[in-house]
């Protein structure tokens, strides 16, 4: 039976055990949730880590740009209270985990937690987090982490909100290394990262929006049109118009720039490409806000 991330998350919530322990328990018990819980209780893991099932709604989202602007990483580290989140020791824990993320090329959070911790290879990142939880007296979790590597023709920008609870990164590709490293391109990625923090788009453009999401929006719009008594012959056209308006609102490129609503992000990218002497394409972005999915 395939073990999914959702299964692991549920077992973590129910037992308070670590991610890797939960995954192993499910694998050892063919995905049987109750048997996995019993397995963890027999091992003493669930009791030993009961702190981990507490609510972790506070914390810090750390971020760093490195490799001369070609790479960036974000990490969301959660704890129970704002008091601990603002504590210097917790800040050092986040910085240590971020420093490891800069060295790590792990594809996802699970792989990241399984790696040997930088500076302490005898323990995994997850074990380091467990030890941090013991020091703080609160549950401490690495909830999400992401890393972008843009390459020679790329540039990555970051925005980090002053309260440490929201950070964004954006990656662009330019028509040449010279354009990628131009000051106009460096300004652009900072502007876009700031904009993403403010507007929370769901994709770069319509190509990044899942087909099922568009189909659902179309069905909702058609239902609304029928409820409003619109002629049947006009319903599809009306719904299509509403979907287009939805895409303008939730995707990055057509959005009005937060600093100047007279221009869109697409126009901002074009203008800065011209300033840099070439063309720029927005590839992807990540937005980590504490507690948000």
């Amino acid at each position: 039976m395939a073990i999914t991330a959702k299964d692991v998350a549920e077992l973590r919530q129910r037992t308070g055990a670590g991610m890797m322990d939960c995954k192993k328990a499910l694998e050892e018990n063919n995905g049987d949730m109750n048997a996995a819980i019993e397995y963890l209780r027999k091992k003493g893991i669930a009791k030993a880590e009961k702190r981990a099932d507490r609510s972790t709604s506070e914390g810090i989202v750390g971020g760093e740009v490195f490799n001369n602007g070609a790479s960036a990483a974000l990490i969301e580290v959660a704890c129970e209270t704002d008091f601990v989140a603002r504590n210097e020791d917790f800040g050092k824990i986040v910085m240590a985990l971020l420093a490891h993320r800069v060295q790590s090329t792990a594809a996802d959070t699970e792989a990241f937690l399984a790696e040997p911790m930088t500076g302490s290879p005898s323990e995994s990142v997850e074990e380091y987090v467990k030890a941090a939880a013991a020091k703080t007296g609160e549950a401490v979790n690495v909830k999400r982490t992401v890393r972008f590597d843009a390459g020679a023709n790329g540039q990555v920008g970051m925005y980090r909100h002053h309260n440490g609870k929201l950070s964004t990164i954006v990656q662009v590709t330019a028509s040449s290394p010279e354009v990628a490293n131009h000051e106009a391109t460096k300004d652009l990625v900072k502007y876009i990262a700031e904009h993403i923090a403010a507007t929370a788009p769901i994709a770069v453009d319509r190509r990044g929006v899942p087909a099922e999401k568009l189909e659902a929006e179309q069905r909702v719009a058609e239902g609304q049109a029928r409820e409003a008594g619109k002629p049947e012959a006009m319903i599809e056209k009306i719904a299509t118009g509403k979907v287009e308006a939805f895409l303008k609102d939730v995707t990055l490129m057509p959005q009005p720039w937060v600093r100047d609503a007279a221009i869109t992000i697409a126009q901002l990218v074009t203008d800065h490409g011209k300033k840099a002497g070439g063309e720029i394409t927005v590839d992807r972005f990540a937005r980590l806000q504490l507690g948000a999915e």
Side-chain angles (χ1 to χ4, degrees):
M1 178 178 177
I3 307 302
T4 67
K6 185 177 179 182
D7 294 331
V8 175
E10 181 182 345
L11 186 57
R12 287 191 76 186
Q13 185 177 16
R14 291 177 64 177
T15 65
M19 183 181 292
M20 301 307 294
D21 290 325
C22 288
K23 184 180 179 185
K24 182 178 179 181
L26 287 165
E27 288 173 343
E28 291 287 332
N29 293 278
N30 297 315
D32 186 312
M33 188 66 64
N34 291 328
I37 291 171
E38 185 175 336
Y39 171 92
L40 289 169
R41 290 186 66 189
K42 285 178 180 177
K43 294 285 186 181
I45 294 171
K47 285 185 179 180
E49 298 180 3
K50 61 183 179 181
R51 181 185 293 115
D53 64 1
R54 298 177 190 164
S55 173
T56 50
S57 58
E58 296 293 339
I60 293 174
V61 180
E64 185 174 341
V65 176
F66 50 101
N67 288 343
N68 295 319
S71 300
L74 298 179
I75 186 165
E76 179 186 356
V77 187
C79 58
E80 294 177 51
T81 65
D82 187 53
F83 174 79
V84 166
R86 290 185 284 108
N87 185 280
E88 183 180 350
D89 288 339
F90 184 77
K92 289 178 180 178
I93 291 166
V94 176
M95 291 305 296
L97 290 166
L98 181 59
H100 178 80
R101 191 64 179 107
V102 168
Q103 301 298 321
S104 167
T105 56
D108 54 34
T109 304
E110 184 177 323
F112 173 77
L113 288 169
E115 292 179 330
M117 181 67 183
T118 300
S120 183
S122 62
E123 64 178 350
S124 67
V125 174
E126 184 168 24
E127 288 168 338
Y128 172 84
V129 173
K130 290 176 188 176
K135 288 179 182 177
T136 63
E138 291 192 358
V140 176
N141 295 314
V142 175
K143 292 201 167 180
R144 290 176 292 176
T145 179
V146 63
R147 173 179 172 141
F148 288 172
D149 293 290
N153 279 25
Q155 186 72 219
V156 182
M158 181 181 76
Y159 170 82
R160 187 163 183 263
H161 201 55
H162 63 84
N163 65 5
K165 299 179 187 296
L166 168 64
S167 296
T168 65
I169 52 176
V170 61
Q171 177 184 321
V172 302
T173 296
S175 49
S176 70
E178 292 74 23
V179 174
N181 289 292
H182 195 281
E183 284 304 312
T185 306
K186 293 178 181 180
D187 287 341
L188 174 68
V189 290
K190 291 176 183 176
Y191 291 149
I192 297 176
E194 176 190 60
H195 176 92
I196 290 165
T199 64
I202 64 172
V204 173
D205 54 34
R206 69 183 304 141
R207 291 172 297 180
V209 181
E212 57 268 25
K213 176 67 174 172
L214 293 178
E215 290 164 4
E217 289 297 322
Q218 182 80 16
R219 289 194 300 270
V220 168
E222 288 176 357
Q224 289 173 341
R226 287 193 179 93
E227 285 293 320
K230 300 296 182 182
E232 193 65 31
M234 295 292 294
I235 285 176
E236 184 177 351
K237 184 177 180 180
I238 292 169
T240 298
K242 286 191 173 184
V243 170
E244 290 301 317
F246 165 78
L247 286 168
K248 277 184 155 183
D249 186 48
V250 303
T251 59
L252 175 66
M253 299 307 285
Q255 287 182 337
W257 183 26
V258 291
R259 289 197 179 198
D260 182 356
I263 64 174
T264 64
I265 294 298
Q267 187 60 54
L268 184 71
V269 172
T270 299
D271 291 347
H272 278 72
K274 289 177 180 177
K275 288 179 185 177
E279 296 181 352
I280 300 171
T281 302
V282 179
D283 298 324
R284 55 180 174 165
F285 65 83
R287 183 181 187 275
L288 297 192
Q289 183 170 6
L290 192 67
E293 292 300 326

